[in-house]
Amino acid sequence: MGLKEKQVNVAGSGYEGFMLFLAEILCCAGKKILFADHTEEHNMMEYFPHVEGIDPVDNIIDNGGIGYVILTGIKEREMTADIKENTDSYDILFNLFDLKNFSRKDILKSDDDKKTDLSLFITDEKAENIAVLSRTTPGSDSILIINDYTGAIKRRIENTAGELGIEKVYVLPFNLRDRKLEILAGYNDRFKFSGLSREREEVLTVLTGLIVPELTEKEKRKAYKTAAGGGRK
């Protein structure tokens, strides 16, 4: 794609609201974010404003510094001039994948999409998702996040992470307010997420620091507070 900055793979399900919160924090830290959607259903598309005449398959939809484009099947078609011209204006690219398709050898993505700095696996404790996770091939810098965590299969998750060589595992217990805020993120162009659980706030702050390591602790907390309070003006 020509994008030379930080690239992060995100594989799993139900991560749209969480990832949009992370993008808002990074944007409030002065970074431009681009979501490149390689999923089958393109659920993230519903979290961006629909603009008549602009198709995310052909153009980047930008919402105040956070962009979205569909790149499923990128090798089957040429990127439009708009996409080629504008990808370099973004600082961080999030490649979005379905967990079940992440390790498929025939998945269609550009060569640059494979050169990532970090991989995030975000899923829950359901048997089908843990089974698919166990068949993936994570990179050396991978993080596992378990959403709606109950602890029912704590040992199974630990064993799966160990077998995959994933050293960093974060758990996010089910929290009704968290879920409401993530749902509302799909209905508002500007939203607030103040009041997130301590666990989600901490993981979002940690990820912010991993993706933009030059930020000080004070700068990370300031970016989080600004984003949670309503984001960019």
Side-chain angles (χ1 to χ4, degrees):
M1 287 178 61
L3 190 138
K4 300 178 176 62
E5 298 302 324
K6 182 82 70 173
Q7 295 203 44
V8 179
N9 279 340
V10 182
S13 61
Y15 52 64
E16 290 80 14
F18 181 86
M19 289 306 303
L20 201 57
F21 294 163
L22 180 58
E24 285 283 352
I25 297 166
L26 293 167
C27 202
C28 288
K31 303 298 180 181
K32 289 191 67 178
I33 313 302
L34 178 62
F35 287 109
D37 195 337
H38 301 267
T39 68
E40 293 181 357
E41 299 296 332
H42 310 135
N43 291 330
M44 183 63 88
M45 181 171 62
E46 301 305 324
Y47 288 72
F48 284 80
H50 290 204
V51 182
E52 186 175 354
I54 299 181
D55 188 336
V57 170
D58 301 312
N59 301 275
I60 295 173
I61 296 176
D62 190 275
N63 186 21
I66 300 178
Y68 173 80
V69 65
I70 292 174
L71 292 184
T72 305
I74 190 63
K75 287 185 177 179
E76 294 181 341
R77 60 181 173 81
E78 291 293 327
M79 284 187 292
T80 66
D82 176 83
I83 295 175
K84 287 182 178 179
E85 180 181 353
N86 290 300
T87 51
D88 283 334
S89 68
Y90 292 91
D91 303 301
I92 301 167
L93 171 67
F94 286 112
N95 289 302
L96 306 179
F97 297 100
D98 299 311
L99 186 59
K100 65 181 180 180
N101 292 333
F102 181 73
S103 292
R104 275 176 40 195
K105 293 182 179 179
D106 62 335
I107 192 167
L108 299 173
K109 52 186 176 180
S110 70
D111 291 338
D112 280 345
D113 294 333
K114 301 172 185 176
K115 301 173 183 177
T116 55
D117 300 279
L118 181 69
S119 290
L120 305 178
F121 294 89
I122 305 175
T123 187
D124 55 28
E125 295 171 298
K126 292 179 181 177
E128 62 269 29
N129 291 329
I130 297 301
V132 173
L133 174 67
S134 67
R135 295 193 290 269
T136 62
T137 307
S140 56
D141 293 316
S142 296
I143 293 174
L144 173 61
I145 298 173
I146 303 296
N147 207 5
D148 294 343
Y149 180 73
T150 68
I153 56 166
K154 181 176 183 292
R155 183 61 61 85
R156 177 66 178 272
I157 290 172
E158 291 173 348
N159 291 340
T160 300
E163 291 169 1
L164 295 175
I166 300 177
E167 298 180 358
K168 295 180 180 178
V169 180
Y170 296 97
V171 297
L172 301 175
F174 175 78
N175 181 288
L176 184 59
R177 179 172 174 78
D178 290 349
R179 181 53 56 82
K180 285 182 176 180
L181 290 170
E182 290 179 356
I183 290 172
L184 287 173
Y187 291 89
N188 302 304
D189 292 344
R190 286 289 185 272
F191 52 89
K192 298 180 180 180
F193 53 93
S194 56
L196 276 179
S197 64
R198 177 183 56 81
E199 291 87 355
R200 274 176 173 73
E201 179 177 347
E202 189 60 32
V203 172
L204 286 166
T205 304
V206 167
L207 292 177
T208 299
L210 289 174
I211 295 170
V212 189
E214 62 268 25
L215 292 176
T216 65
E217 190 66 27
K218 182 178 180 180
E219 289 171 332
K220 286 187 293 183
R221 296 295 176 182
K222 180 180 179 181
Y224 181 93
K225 183 177 180 180
T226 302
R232 303 145 286 135
K233 302 300 182 183

